[in-house]
Amino acid sequence: MTPVPARPALVVFDLDGTLLDTHVDLVESLNHTIAALDLEPVSYDDLTHLVGQGARVMIERACRLRGHPLESDALPPLVERFVAHYAGNMPGRTEPYPGLVAAMDRLKSQGYRLAVCTNKMESLALGLLGKLDLTRYFDAITGGDSFEFRKPDARHLTGTVERAGGDITRTVMIGDSVNDIAVARNAGVPSIAVPFGYSDVPVSSLDPDVIITHFDELTPELVETLLREYAEKVAV
């Protein structure tokens, strides 16, 4: 196995659609929320167009999709309704994607740091990961309300790296959608995309540095190769 350098890398994960398959619970809580407006439920097929910017934007998009644009003062009670339902039913049917836990064990055993950078509210991310007994893997967990900015703003990722005690030049971002690949590009770090999440376009069209189709492929060797090749590319 490849030895870890003196400065272990930091691997940063998106949450929904990357670490965890949350789609059933997101759809159920979203439909519970918009039922207050007597709107037709959304489906999993709609989810790829709705997620990525946190609960507020997801609710706004769902209402717009159902022909019911929201006034600004109508949103806060709907967000409260969503959060109460989602938090009250954790972990629901959410589960880690196949191979994830084994991949994190591989990385941690070799000294790598791990973190989560999600646009989900920090309290919901912490609660969900805690219910699934995954919090212990991460040196930092940041959400869409952890800072004054969120993905794809580079400062969300760089702030996460700082909280995790990492080095931005030794950081890799893993995600399933445009915000994840864009925040990596904006922060100047290499990206790994997974195609099994909630992107509304093929992840190959987002131009990530690497695509993995299963977490069995996430190894120290892959991380080190990606970091080396990325450093060589930007040095040209």
Side-chain angles (χ1 to χ4, degrees), residues 26-47 50 61-63 65-67:
L26 287 175
V27 169
E28 287 184 355
S29 291
L30 183 56
N31 284 333
H32 171 79
T33 302
I34 65 175
L37 303 173
D38 294 324
L39 299 183
E40 181 182 347
V42 300
S43 68
Y44 173 72
D45 290 336
D46 300 317
L47 194 63
L50 302 176
R61 288 174 175 173
C63 290
L65 180 68
R66 292 295 178 252

Side-chain angles (χ1 to χ4, degrees), residues 78-91:
L78 293 173
V79 173
E80 290 180 9
R81 181 178 171 91
F82 176 89
V83 170
H85 186 273
Y86 190 75
N89 289 279
M90 287 180 182

Side-chain angles (χ1 to χ4, degrees), residues 151-187:
K151 296 182 296 183
D153 191 309
R155 293 171 293 178
H156 191 174
L157 180 53
T158 57
T160 303
V161 173
E162 182 178 353
R163 284 195 184 185
D167 179 344
I168 195 67
T169 68
R170 297 277 301 149
T171 295
V172 171
M173 178 74 201
I174 304 179
D176 70 309
S177 67
V178 62
N179 282 336
D180 307 311
I181 307 309
V183 76
R185 186 174 299 115
N186 293 339

Side-chain angles (χ1 to χ4, degrees), residues 22 53 83 93 187 214 235:
T22 56
Q53 293 287 350
V83 170
R93 283 182 276 178
H214 193 285

